[in-house]
Amino acid sequence: MSQEKKIHVVRIGPGNRENMTLRALQVLQDCDVIVGYRTYTDLIKDQYPDKEIISSDLIKERERCLQCVELARNGKKVALICSGDPGIYGMASPMLEVASEEGFTDVEIVPGVTAASSGASLLGAPIGHDFCVISLSDLLTPWELIEKRLKNAAAGDFNIVLYNPASHKRQDYLKRACKVLTDTLPQERICGLVRNIGRENEECRITTLGQLADADADMFTTVWIGNSQTRVYDQRMITPRGYDK
Ligand code: SAH
């Protein structure tokens, strides 16, 4: 039996209720306060009309975590929500960092379906073999390191999943990443994009690396780049489980 925690870092999946785990639904049902970035609290607030909802801006991550500790210390059961899996570019690490600084230990991380896998299921089976996930956001990571990771992933023939292909401020992350990748990968390499997974206006598209640079991608898009074996059958991306020997 797991001990009842006071702060639960919950993923709400890509955005639709069906893709939430039973544990995540249970935590939201049992909590007193739901805290999160407005995009996510807006997605679920109608389902929890009796809960206190605290929405905040994306940049105030640390403050949000501190607020959770304060609420929990005042006896509230808090659900800190984010999309996908909280451990993948999500609130799990800032929350645990703040908790450790504050000497607060009652934190449960509730796992969820990350965009790499929820979007993959819409494209077919693009990550059927070894894959890596790279965020193109240089907000917290130097661009040189992002380029190095892209190059190494391409050299290793990994399927590559790109998160944060664009932001409000920077529209050209994806173009720049494609430039790095096409140094070594062929233009006809199979790629896929999914926008708004599990949400209104969900869009799914299969294309090639050569065309990816000019594809429409925003901050709610995830991108899959096939490995050397990836092919398309009946509008679906398939990466085989192995290599023909
Ligand atoms: N914790 C999240 C990732 C947050 S980083 C997860 O595990 O999925 C933000 C990036 O995730 C976005 O720029 C996008 O690339 C991807 N993403 C998150 N939700 C998405 C959705 N509903 N549709 C498409 N991409 C999504």
Side-chain angles (χ1 to χ4, degrees):
M1 279 287 280
S2 70
Q3 187 201 342
E4 197 51 59
K5 303 284 185 195
K6 288 215 178 107
I7 297 178
H8 307 267
V9 189
V10 190
R11 67 85 198 179
I12 56 165
N16 53 346
R17 202 174 162 83
E18 302 83 61
N19 273 343
M20 290 178 66
T21 61
L22 288 176
R23 179 67 189 143
L25 288 168
Q26 185 186 40
V27 162
L28 287 176
Q29 200 56 55
D30 292 348
C31 74
D32 304 305
V33 193
I34 299 176
V35 182
Y37 177 46
R38 191 170 308 279
T39 311
Y40 309 129
T41 52
D42 281 354
L43 281 172
I44 60 160
K45 67 176 182 216
D46 292 346
Q47 295 159 37
Y48 301 95
D50 57 328
K51 308 285 176 194
E52 184 184 347
I53 308 255
I54 303 179
S55 308
S56 56
D57 299 331
L58 193 56
I59 42 166
K60 294 188 186 146
E61 261 180 15
R62 226 192 109 75
E63 285 78 355
R64 212 184 311 158
C65 296
L66 276 169
Q67 191 178 28
C68 290
V69 172
E70 206 180 300
L71 287 161
R73 283 189 166 145
N74 285 330
K76 302 266 178 154
K77 272 196 220 158
V78 185
L80 172 58
I81 60 166
C82 54
S83 78
D85 184 294
I88 300 177
Y89 312 122
M91 293 303 293
S93 33
M95 187 63 245
L96 287 179
E97 277 173 347
V98 167
S100 73
E101 289 159 20
E102 292 290 309
F104 185 90
T105 50
D106 284 350
V107 182
E108 175 188 351
I109 311 297
V110 182
V113 184
T114 190
S117 66
S118 54
S121 68
L122 299 170
L123 286 166
I127 46 176
H129 204 280
D130 298 343
F131 70 99
C132 62
V133 172
I134 301 176
S135 166
L136 296 187
S137 169
D138 62 357
L139 214 59
L140 301 169
T141 308
W143 179 258
E144 298 69 45
L145 183 56
I146 297 172
E147 277 200 4
K148 186 174 165 190
R149 289 183 173 160
L150 288 167
K151 281 182 191 151
N152 285 332
D157 198 28
F158 282 93
N159 292 289
I160 309 171
V161 186
L162 301 177
Y163 281 50
N164 296 304
S167 72
H168 280 314
K169 282 196 197 132
R170 282 267 308 280
Q171 298 297 318
D172 66 337
Y173 288 133
L174 186 57
K175 211 184 244 320
R176 289 168 68 182
C178 288
K179 199 158 172 284
V180 173
L181 292 171
T182 45
D183 276 350
T184 51
L185 299 181
Q187 299 272 336
E188 56 281 1
R189 177 61 56 86
I190 306 295
C191 297
L193 300 100
V194 188
R195 191 164 169 260
N196 292 321
I197 302 161
R199 299 183 188 160
E200 233 178 281
N201 303 321
E202 182 178 85
E203 284 171 48
C204 194
R205 189 177 151 203
I206 294 177
T207 183
T208 60
L209 185 57
Q211 294 184 329
L212 189 63
D214 296 316
D216 244 357
D218 63 11
M219 61 190 291
F220 297 111
T221 306
T222 302
V223 177
W224 287 255
I225 294 157
N227 70 11
S228 60
Q229 309 300 301
T230 304
R231 59 193 177 88
V232 179
Y233 174 72
D234 192 24
Q235 307 294 315
R236 300 198 133 186
M237 250 174 115
I238 305 169
T239 297
R241 292 282 301 277
Y243 288 77
D244 283 337
K245 288 193 188 145

